[in-house]
Amino acid sequence: MSKNCMLFCLLVILFGLISTYIIIQWFQSSREGFESKRNIVLMGDSVLNNSNYVPADKSVFAILKSKTNNVTNFATDGAVINTCLTQLEQIPTSFNNDSTYLFISAGGNDILNSPIQLDQAEIAKLFDKYIDCIKAIKHKLPSANLNILNLYLPANPKYKSYKTVVDMWNQLILSNATTIGLSYNVIDTNKLLVGPKYFVYGIEPSASASKTLAEVIYNNS
């Protein structure tokens, strides 16, 4: 092989290495730029704040925090629909932009706390209250991306009687997803969290559930 040919081959290899390095650096800087702009905001109940039921580093929030610094948790254990309005008051208006991704889980505790098994009319009435909460969120943060977690049916057999109620609630969430001025994405936890490994105390999200939920939230933001 002539010296000119060897030189040409070395230049081609060098050019390839430099190009690869530039592409990698560009990709990393683009990713960091994206990370710095988007904000993940958690609202609602223990589905999104399960820190009382799993090790400190295994909660939904902790796992998300390991993926991005731009995640804020307003969700609280035991929260009901009205609690979300209190949480909303804590969210700064600076989050009102298209780089904010809100994830909301609510309604389950309202149903569980009811002294009676709710029928279709009562579920519809409770859902109206839920929709009023969603409207309040949309009013304050109209530019944010809204993601609604539906209800899951716990693996514990003692909650089997709630299946009809859960199905009714989830259908209402789907039916209202494209209402004008109230558009939101639905996260189907009822299909994501199926089986005993996803629950502790028969109903609260486990470490396995945290991993699943965090991944879905991250991928939808």
Side-chain angles (χ1 to χ4, degrees):
M1 182 182 294
S2 67
K3 289 183 178 180
N4 288 339
C5 186
M6 289 180 63
L7 180 60
F8 176 77
C9 291
L10 288 173
L11 287 173
V12 169
I13 293 171
L14 181 61
F15 177 78
L17 291 173
I18 293 174
S19 298
T20 301
Y21 176 77
I22 291 173
I23 291 172
I24 291 174
Q25 290 298 109
W26 176 84
F27 177 79
Q28 288 179 341
S29 62
S30 298
R31 181 181 178 86
E32 288 170 0
F34 178 70
E35 292 286 357
S36 66
K37 291 180 181 179
R38 70 172 176 175
N39 292 296
I40 297 174
V41 178
L42 308 181
M43 294 180 65
D45 52 34
S46 60
V47 176
L48 293 176
N49 186 355
N50 60 333
S51 57
N52 289 334
Y53 308 102
V54 296
D57 62 338
K58 301 296 183 182
S59 69
V60 175
F61 176 70
I63 295 174
L64 282 171
K65 197 70 174 176
S66 70
K67 295 175 178 290
T68 174
N69 287 323
N70 299 329
V71 54
T72 309
N73 181 33
F74 296 98
T76 56
D77 186 14
V80 293
I81 293 171
N82 281 343
T83 314
C84 290
L85 295 174
T86 303
Q87 294 171 7
L88 180 61
E89 293 175 358
Q90 302 173 44
I91 300 177
T93 54
S94 60
F95 278 20
N96 181 32
N97 56 71
D98 60 8
S99 294
T100 295
Y101 294 81
L102 293 168
F103 292 86
I104 304 166
S105 171
N109 287 323
D110 296 80
I111 292 171
L112 287 174
N113 293 344
S114 174
I116 59 172
Q117 184 80 290
L118 302 178
D119 60 22
Q120 187 171 359
E122 290 163 332
I123 284 292
K125 184 178 179 180
L126 180 61
F127 192 79
D128 285 341
K129 183 179 177 181
Y130 177 80
I131 286 296
D132 285 342
C133 178
I134 300 301
K135 287 179 179 178
I137 295 170
K138 292 289 287 184
H139 178 74
K140 181 175 181 178
L141 305 167
S143 296
N145 301 280
L146 191 56
N147 297 270
I148 301 296
L149 279 69
N150 68 5
L151 299 184
Y152 56 69
L153 186 66
N156 193 315
K158 77 175 185 177
Y159 296 107
K160 187 177 180 180
S161 61
Y162 285 92
K163 184 179 186 308
T164 299
V165 173
V166 167
D167 288 344
M168 283 192 293
W169 186 270
N170 289 346
Q171 184 55 52
L172 286 169
I173 285 179
L174 281 176
S175 299
N176 285 270
T178 56
T179 301
I180 295 175
L182 202 61
S183 179
Y184 53 78
N185 178 47
V186 179
I187 306 296
D188 195 353
T189 64
N190 197 36
K191 289 184 178 179
L192 290 171
L193 309 181
V194 179
K197 76 172 185 176
Y198 291 108
F199 304 100
V200 291
Y201 303 117
I203 189 170
E204 301 294 347
S206 66
S208 293
S210 292
K211 184 177 180 181
T212 297
L213 290 172
E215 183 176 352
V216 170
I217 289 170
Y218 187 78
N219 289 338
N220 278 273
S221 58

